[in-house]
Amino acid sequence: MATIALTGATGFIGRVLLKYLTDQGSRVKALYRPGSSSLPPKAIASVEWVAGNLEDADSLRTLVTNVDAIVHCAGAVRGATLEQFKKINVEGVERLLQAAVEQGVPRFLLISSLAAREPSLSAYALSKKLGEDTLLEYDDKISWDILRPPAVYGPGDREMEPLLKLIRRSIVPVVGSKDGRFSLLYVDDLAEAVICLLRPDRISARQCFELHDGHPNGYTWAQIAAIAAQLNGKPAHCFSLPRGLISIVGRINIAIASLSSYQPMLTPGKVREIFHPDWVSDNSAITRATNWQPKVLFPDGMRRLFY
Ligand SMILES: NC(=O)c1ccc[n+]([C@@H]2O[C@H](COP(=O)([O-])OP(=O)(O)OC[C@H]3O[C@@H](n4cnc5c(N)ncnc54)[C@H](OP(=O)(O)O)[C@@H]3O)[C@@H](O)[C@H]2O)c1
């Protein structure tokens, strides 16, 4: 039975990864932050919870002792400054890698983001790219894979839920450029990709893999509206959120963050990400490498969540 060290197991994606890893028979050592606002971890027979933090090297050493692989899913997705993102998404990767090499862990799987493809857009995107670059520096010391998911949704997700609830009510706010295209991924498909990459008989490809839900060339907002109409049995109402208005909210958030400990999601950088016209990903490399196939197209994901 393989033992996997998992970070981010208290978050949206990590909780699903934890379930998939234990369901397919792995023992998991999972990191949790005792002081955080997340619910305290539940006791699960095959899970050993390790109290710690990506900023604390000792806890990371404990986490990765006697494991066969590391799945690094923890990350900062909210923040106001590059420094805040780098502290978690770059320095956290480096600290975990140092512990991994010290303890002789053979494999490292980094959950990065499609945003890393466009590091000039935002502090988040840049930090995810720099996190990947950090892993590449350890190429001669550890086997690795990188996953770059697009927007991920599913049960327990707080970021996309408000938007999906509106779509359920046949209201489609066009968030971003009208002709923009974007890929989506249901969280269970991401978890299955992780399981495929960790198969014991597989050798790490030392490759960066993009993923999507099986809908080639992504979605446009018009396609999302057509899906909403089909699911709800009535036409969907689309409306555009003006970039100027969203940018003002982003700037207000930055001002509030500079005066408090608030960690905003919507910042001027996030607005640039939202209005980037091409967030289409490509499944071909991961399918070639692992035979992974996504199962949940967006309409099926909506049905699972709301119908
Ligand atoms: N959601 C998406 O659409 C999406 C798309 C592409 C890539 N990703 C990537 O997927 C990963 C997980 O995202 P998510 O949506 O699941 O985010 P999330 O719900 O905010 O979860 C983040 C996780 O990271 C942990 N974490 C944050 N800072 C930490 C620190 N200093 N030390 C230890 N743990 C820390 C959090 O712990 P607490 O519970 O204690 O806060 C939580 O478990 C991130 O790396 C993100 O960049 C997400």
Side-chain angles (χ1 to χ4, degrees):
M1 187 197 288
T3 303
I4 311 294
L6 175 65
T7 67
T10 53
F12 157 53
I13 293 174
R15 280 173 194 268
V16 180
L17 293 184
L18 182 67
K19 181 178 178 324
Y20 269 74
L21 288 166
T22 51
D23 282 358
Q24 59 86 51
S26 291
R27 244 177 54 80
V28 179
K29 290 177 82 177
L31 188 70
Y32 78 102
R33 296 192 292 175
S36 112
S37 58
S38 300
L39 291 174
K42 279 194 289 185
I44 308 171
S46 50
V47 179
E48 179 189 339
W49 288 97
V50 176
N53 197 306
L54 288 172
E55 292 165 61
D56 170 23
D58 285 343
S59 63
L60 298 182
R61 225 171 282 123
T62 308
L63 179 75
V64 304
T65 301
N66 296 325
V67 303
D68 301 293
I70 296 171
V71 178
H72 183 33
C73 180
V77 295
R78 294 167 165 266
T81 65
L82 180 60
E83 279 58 46
Q84 285 170 355
F85 283 113
K86 275 171 83 175
K87 220 162 110 181
I88 314 294
N89 295 345
V90 187
E91 291 160 29
V93 174
E94 171 98 57
R95 224 169 270 122
L96 190 57
L97 279 163
Q98 280 167 357
V101 171
E102 236 177 85
Q103 299 300 317
V105 183
R107 302 171 86 144
F108 195 101
L109 171 52
L110 174 66
I111 308 294
S112 180
S113 166
L114 193 59
R117 202 171 71 184
E118 302 291 345
S120 62
L121 292 178
S122 68
Y124 170 71
L126 178 58
S127 71
K128 294 302 279 188
K129 175 69 172 73
L130 293 174
E132 293 182 356
D133 292 347
T134 304
L135 176 52
L136 264 56
E137 283 165 20
Y138 281 72
D139 184 49
D140 57 341
K141 301 187 182 74
I142 196 161
S143 290
W144 57 269
D145 293 288
I146 295 172
L147 280 179
R148 280 185 174 178
V152 182
Y153 69 102
D157 161 40
R158 282 171 305 168
E159 308 307 341
M160 284 200 30
E161 191 191 32
L163 176 67
L164 299 182
K165 279 186 168 163
L166 284 176
I167 293 172
R168 169 68 182 98
R169 293 169 56 202
S170 290
I171 300 166
V172 179
V174 177
V175 196
S177 49
K178 195 171 114 321
D179 302 319
R181 303 193 75 92
F182 47 89
S183 294
L184 295 167
L185 188 65
Y186 195 75
V187 65
D188 288 53
D189 277 337
L190 173 54
E192 289 200 358
V194 168
I195 299 297
C196 288
L197 285 169
L198 290 178
R199 270 193 211 118
D201 56 342
R202 184 183 163 267
I203 296 166
S204 293
R206 293 180 142 85
Q207 208 175 328
C208 184
F209 296 110
E210 293 185 359
L211 307 152
H212 64 68
D213 69 351
H215 195 263
N217 212 15
Y219 297 90
T220 60
W221 286 106
Q223 285 171 320
I224 297 290
I227 290 166
Q230 203 170 25
L231 287 170
N232 299 324
K234 58 180 181 183
H237 302 290
C238 288
F239 68 94
S240 291
L241 291 169
R243 182 168 184 157
L245 183 69
I246 306 180
S247 298
I248 290 170
V249 177
R251 284 202 293 273
I252 292 172
N253 282 344
I254 289 289
I256 297 171
S258 69
L259 302 169
S260 66
S261 59
Y262 175 53
Q263 307 245 300
M265 174 55 88
L266 187 65
T267 60
K270 185 56 75 179
V271 175
R272 284 192 292 277
E273 279 183 37
I274 289 171
F275 280 85
H276 183 68
D278 175 16
W279 287 121
V280 176
S281 44
D282 177 357
N283 273 351
S284 51
I286 186 161
T287 300
R288 250 194 329 269
T290 67
N291 289 327
W292 170 81
Q293 297 277 1
K295 296 190 181 115
V296 188
L297 285 163
F298 182 62
D300 305 321
M302 284 294 286
R303 272 189 212 100
R304 285 188 187 201
L305 288 174
F306 298 114
Y307 295 82

mmCIF file of all heavy atoms in Angstrom, residues 249-270:
data_model
loop_
_atom_site.group_PDB
_atom_site.id
_atom_site.type_symbol
_atom_site.label_atom_id
_atom_site.label_comp_id
_atom_site.label_asym_id
_atom_site.label_seq_id
_atom_site.Cartn_x
_atom_site.Cartn_y
_atom_site.Cartn_z
ATOM 1 N N VAL A 249 -13.974 47.607 -8.324
ATOM 2 C CA VAL A 249 -14.108 46.720 -7.152
ATOM 3 C C VAL A 249 -12.740 46.129 -6.803
ATOM 4 O O VAL A 249 -12.353 46.075 -5.624
ATOM 5 C CB VAL A 249 -15.147 45.587 -7.427
ATOM 6 C CG1 VAL A 249 -15.221 44.633 -6.246
ATOM 7 C CG2 VAL A 249 -16.510 46.174 -7.738
ATOM 8 N N GLY A 250 -11.980 45.730 -7.833
ATOM 9 C CA GLY A 250 -10.634 45.177 -7.593
ATOM 10 C C GLY A 250 -9.738 46.175 -6.883
ATOM 11 O O GLY A 250 -9.005 45.828 -5.946
ATOM 12 N N ARG A 251 -9.819 47.449 -7.315
ATOM 13 C CA ARG A 251 -8.961 48.474 -6.694
ATOM 14 C C ARG A 251 -9.397 48.777 -5.267
ATOM 15 O O ARG A 251 -8.568 48.977 -4.389
ATOM 16 C CB ARG A 251 -8.954 49.736 -7.562
ATOM 17 C CG ARG A 251 -8.078 49.567 -8.819
ATOM 18 C CD ARG A 251 -7.625 50.893 -9.388
ATOM 19 N NE ARG A 251 -8.722 51.663 -9.930
ATOM 20 C CZ ARG A 251 -9.183 51.541 -11.191
ATOM 21 N NH1 ARG A 251 -8.627 50.681 -12.019
ATOM 22 N NH2 ARG A 251 -10.178 52.278 -11.614
ATOM 23 N N ILE A 252 -10.721 48.775 -5.042
ATOM 24 C CA ILE A 252 -11.219 48.992 -3.664
ATOM 25 C C ILE A 252 -10.718 47.851 -2.765
ATOM 26 O O ILE A 252 -10.269 48.066 -1.646
ATOM 27 C CB ILE A 252 -12.772 49.078 -3.648
ATOM 28 C CG1 ILE A 252 -13.226 50.354 -4.350
ATOM 29 C CG2 ILE A 252 -13.307 49.029 -2.214
ATOM 30 C CD1 ILE A 252 -14.731 50.458 -4.566
ATOM 31 N N ASN A 253 -10.781 46.623 -3.293
ATOM 32 C CA ASN A 253 -10.310 45.474 -2.505
ATOM 33 C C ASN A 253 -8.848 45.627 -2.111
ATOM 34 O O ASN A 253 -8.457 45.310 -0.985
ATOM 35 C CB ASN A 253 -10.490 44.178 -3.307
ATOM 36 C CG ASN A 253 -11.925 43.697 -3.287
ATOM 37 O OD1 ASN A 253 -12.715 44.131 -2.459
ATOM 38 N ND2 ASN A 253 -12.265 42.801 -4.207
ATOM 39 N N ILE A 254 -8.029 46.124 -3.056
ATOM 40 C CA ILE A 254 -6.603 46.302 -2.757
ATOM 41 C C ILE A 254 -6.435 47.368 -1.659
ATOM 42 O O ILE A 254 -5.617 47.207 -0.740
ATOM 43 C CB ILE A 254 -5.825 46.731 -4.029
ATOM 44 C CG1 ILE A 254 -5.742 45.559 -5.017
ATOM 45 C CG2 ILE A 254 -4.423 47.237 -3.704
ATOM 46 C CD1 ILE A 254 -4.817 44.430 -4.595
ATOM 47 N N ALA A 255 -7.248 48.429 -1.741
ATOM 48 C CA ALA A 255 -7.149 49.491 -0.721
ATOM 49 C C ALA A 255 -7.528 48.929 0.650
ATOM 50 O O ALA A 255 -6.834 49.187 1.646
ATOM 51 C CB ALA A 255 -8.066 50.658 -1.104
ATOM 52 N N ILE A 256 -8.617 48.151 0.696
ATOM 53 C CA ILE A 256 -9.031 47.559 1.990
ATOM 54 C C ILE A 256 -7.929 46.631 2.511
ATOM 55 O O ILE A 256 -7.578 46.648 3.689
ATOM 56 C CB ILE A 256 -10.370 46.786 1.846
ATOM 57 C CG1 ILE A 256 -11.484 47.743 1.438
ATOM 58 C CG2 ILE A 256 -10.728 46.067 3.144
ATOM 59 C CD1 ILE A 256 -12.797 47.057 1.059
ATOM 60 N N ALA A 257 -7.348 45.827 1.580
ATOM 61 C CA ALA A 257 -6.311 44.866 1.993
ATOM 62 C C ALA A 257 -5.088 45.581 2.560
ATOM 63 O O ALA A 257 -4.416 45.062 3.461
ATOM 64 C CB ALA A 257 -5.913 43.986 0.805
ATOM 65 N N SER A 258 -4.800 46.786 2.031
ATOM 66 C CA SER A 258 -3.600 47.492 2.514
ATOM 67 C C SER A 258 -3.802 48.023 3.937
ATOM 68 O O SER A 258 -2.848 48.343 4.629
ATOM 69 C CB SER A 258 -3.237 48.643 1.566
ATOM 70 O OG SER A 258 -4.226 49.645 1.667
ATOM 71 N N LEU A 259 -5.064 48.073 4.375
ATOM 72 C CA LEU A 259 -5.355 48.601 5.712
ATOM 73 C C LEU A 259 -5.726 47.496 6.710
ATOM 74 O O LEU A 259 -5.974 47.760 7.880
ATOM 75 C CB LEU A 259 -6.531 49.589 5.643
ATOM 76 C CG LEU A 259 -6.358 50.790 4.718
ATOM 77 C CD1 LEU A 259 -7.670 51.530 4.543
ATOM 78 C CD2 LEU A 259 -5.280 51.721 5.269
ATOM 79 N N SER A 260 -5.800 46.276 6.213
ATOM 80 C CA SER A 260 -6.278 45.183 7.090
ATOM 81 C C SER A 260 -5.626 43.870 6.663
ATOM 82 O O SER A 260 -4.757 43.854 5.805
ATOM 83 C CB SER A 260 -7.801 45.055 6.954
ATOM 84 O OG SER A 260 -8.113 44.636 5.638
ATOM 85 N N SER A 261 -6.096 42.775 7.258
ATOM 86 C CA SER A 261 -5.531 41.470 6.874
ATOM 87 C C SER A 261 -6.387 40.793 5.790
ATOM 88 O O SER A 261 -6.205 39.609 5.501
ATOM 89 C CB SER A 261 -5.449 40.565 8.107
ATOM 90 O OG SER A 261 -6.746 40.408 8.637
ATOM 91 N N TYR A 262 -7.310 41.548 5.204
ATOM 92 C CA TYR A 262 -8.206 41.005 4.176
ATOM 93 C C TYR A 262 -7.404 40.474 2.981
ATOM 94 O O TYR A 262 -6.508 41.147 2.472
ATOM 95 C CB TYR A 262 -9.158 42.131 3.744
ATOM 96 C CG TYR A 262 -10.086 41.794 2.608
ATOM 97 C CD1 TYR A 262 -10.893 40.664 2.646
ATOM 98 C CD2 TYR A 262 -10.164 42.629 1.492
ATOM 99 C CE1 TYR A 262 -11.755 40.369 1.599
ATOM 100 C CE2 TYR A 262 -11.027 42.344 0.438
ATOM 101 C CZ TYR A 262 -11.808 41.207 0.502
ATOM 102 O OH TYR A 262 -12.650 40.923 -0.539
ATOM 103 N N GLN A 263 -7.745 39.262 2.541
ATOM 104 C CA GLN A 263 -7.084 38.650 1.376
ATOM 105 C C GLN A 263 -8.106 38.565 0.248
ATOM 106 O O GLN A 263 -8.923 37.636 0.218
ATOM 107 C CB GLN A 263 -6.603 37.248 1.722
ATOM 108 C CG GLN A 263 -5.727 37.192 2.975
ATOM 109 C CD GLN A 263 -4.324 36.778 2.644
ATOM 110 O OE1 GLN A 263 -4.109 35.712 2.134
ATOM 111 N NE2 GLN A 263 -3.360 37.625 2.952
ATOM 112 N N PRO A 264 -8.095 39.522 -0.674
ATOM 113 C CA PRO A 264 -9.142 39.545 -1.699
ATOM 114 C C PRO A 264 -8.941 38.508 -2.799
ATOM 115 O O PRO A 264 -7.820 38.124 -3.102
ATOM 116 C CB PRO A 264 -9.017 40.959 -2.280
ATOM 117 C CG PRO A 264 -7.605 41.351 -2.045
ATOM 118 C CD PRO A 264 -7.137 40.624 -0.820
ATOM 119 N N MET A 265 -10.044 38.082 -3.399
ATOM 120 C CA MET A 265 -9.975 37.242 -4.595
ATOM 121 C C MET A 265 -9.942 38.157 -5.826
ATOM 122 O O MET A 265 -9.130 37.992 -6.727
ATOM 123 C CB MET A 265 -11.200 36.302 -4.634
ATOM 124 C CG MET A 265 -11.332 35.468 -5.886
ATOM 125 S SD MET A 265 -9.873 34.462 -6.276
ATOM 126 C CE MET A 265 -10.197 32.975 -5.362
ATOM 127 N N LEU A 266 -10.861 39.166 -5.824
ATOM 128 C CA LEU A 266 -10.939 40.060 -6.991
ATOM 129 C C LEU A 266 -9.973 41.238 -6.821
ATOM 130 O O LEU A 266 -10.154 42.088 -5.942
ATOM 131 C CB LEU A 266 -12.368 40.579 -7.164
ATOM 132 C CG LEU A 266 -12.586 41.374 -8.450
ATOM 133 C CD1 LEU A 266 -12.417 40.490 -9.671
ATOM 134 C CD2 LEU A 266 -13.957 42.028 -8.462
ATOM 135 N N THR A 267 -8.941 41.247 -7.630
ATOM 136 C CA THR A 267 -7.922 42.302 -7.617
ATOM 137 C C THR A 267 -7.741 42.764 -9.070
ATOM 138 O O THR A 267 -8.242 42.100 -9.990
ATOM 139 C CB THR A 267 -6.581 41.728 -7.115
ATOM 140 O OG1 THR A 267 -6.216 40.672 -8.025
ATOM 141 C CG2 THR A 267 -6.670 41.173 -5.698
ATOM 142 N N PRO A 268 -7.012 43.845 -9.314
ATOM 143 C CA PRO A 268 -6.768 44.233 -10.711
ATOM 144 C C PRO A 268 -6.110 43.097 -11.512
ATOM 145 O O PRO A 268 -6.414 42.906 -12.695
ATOM 146 C CB PRO A 268 -5.849 45.445 -10.569
ATOM 147 C CG PRO A 268 -6.270 46.049 -9.250
ATOM 148 C CD PRO A 268 -6.567 44.872 -8.364
ATOM 149 N N GLY A 269 -5.246 42.323 -10.868
ATOM 150 C CA GLY A 269 -4.614 41.189 -11.566
ATOM 151 C C GLY A 269 -5.644 40.133 -11.936
ATOM 152 O O GLY A 269 -5.628 39.583 -13.042
ATOM 153 N N LYS A 270 -6.559 39.849 -11.011
ATOM 154 C CA LYS A 270 -7.611 38.855 -11.294
ATOM 155 C C LYS A 270 -8.489 39.344 -12.441
ATOM 156 O O LYS A 270 -8.933 38.564 -13.285
ATOM 157 C CB LYS A 270 -8.431 38.603 -10.015
ATOM 158 C CG LYS A 270 -9.465 37.520 -10.106
ATOM 159 C CD LYS A 270 -8.930 36.160 -10.526
ATOM 160 C CE LYS A 270 -8.179 35.446 -9.443
ATOM 161 N NZ LYS A 270 -7.681 34.117 -9.866
#
